[in-house]
Amino acid sequence: MTDLAFMIITGEGGLPSDDVERHLRLLERAAATGLVEGRFNLGVTLVTHGMDPPRGLELIRATAEEGFANAQFTIFIMHFPVNHREYGEGTKKDAFFNACVKAGVGPDPVLAADMVHRAAQQGHGEAQYYYAQCLQFGYGVEEDVKKAYRWYKMAAACGHAGAANKCGNLLS
């Protein structure tokens, strides 16, 4: 059900992407059954489309605390200081990120590092890469290049091309 709702919102598979209300109804049904992915996707939709950002953020936070890696990675993105410094409100072409900023979400390097670490521990390749970045540059954690290298290697093993490149750079 959540895959169908995602297809509607993105327009994949020829489904109409402008039917946000239908998408929302499907996600509400999926969330009502207790599906963590349904509650997470409902939260992202509520934030992105400005329908109910406080409820959406709460759903995302709750699913992250339940251990859903995509939610943990999303919280990392929401709070990663570099995103706020480089993009700021209204400059990034990401509706979700901009909606989070408008809802008052600010940089929190410690929370960001904690959440991306949790997702990385579950094998989330993108999270492994960004946790390695946190370690390499000391974002929210103590700088540790040796640990960063190990996390880059794990991300590379998951197919993250940028991580493989970083491994080579750290060795040289």
Side-chain angles (χ1 to χ4, degrees), residues 5-18:
F6 182 77
M7 289 172 68
I8 291 168
I9 202 68
T10 61
E12 288 183 21
L15 294 171
S17 63
D18 60 346

Side-chain angles (χ1 to χ4, degrees), residues 4-86:
L4 177 60
F6 182 77
M7 289 172 68
I8 291 168
I9 202 68
T10 61
E12 288 183 21
L15 294 171
S17 63
D18 60 346
D19 197 349
V20 176
E21 291 301 319
R22 181 174 176 210
H23 171 77
L24 188 60
R25 283 192 307 275
L26 288 170
L27 288 178
E28 288 281 6
R29 286 179 43 205
T33 67
L35 287 172
V36 68
E37 185 178 2
R39 288 181 287 124
F40 167 72
N41 287 334
L42 175 60
V44 170
T45 300
L46 291 171
V47 172
T48 303
H49 294 285
M51 296 169 164
D52 189 350
R55 179 176 173 223
L57 291 171
E58 181 51 40
L59 286 166
I60 294 166
R61 289 182 184 116
T63 56
E65 286 304 320
E66 290 174 35
F68 188 55
N70 286 343
Q72 293 165 336
F73 185 72
T74 299
I75 289 178
F76 160 74
I77 294 298
M78 289 165 40
H79 292 284
F80 191 49
V82 174
N83 288 343
H84 288 270
R85 201 170 44 247
E86 288 183 4

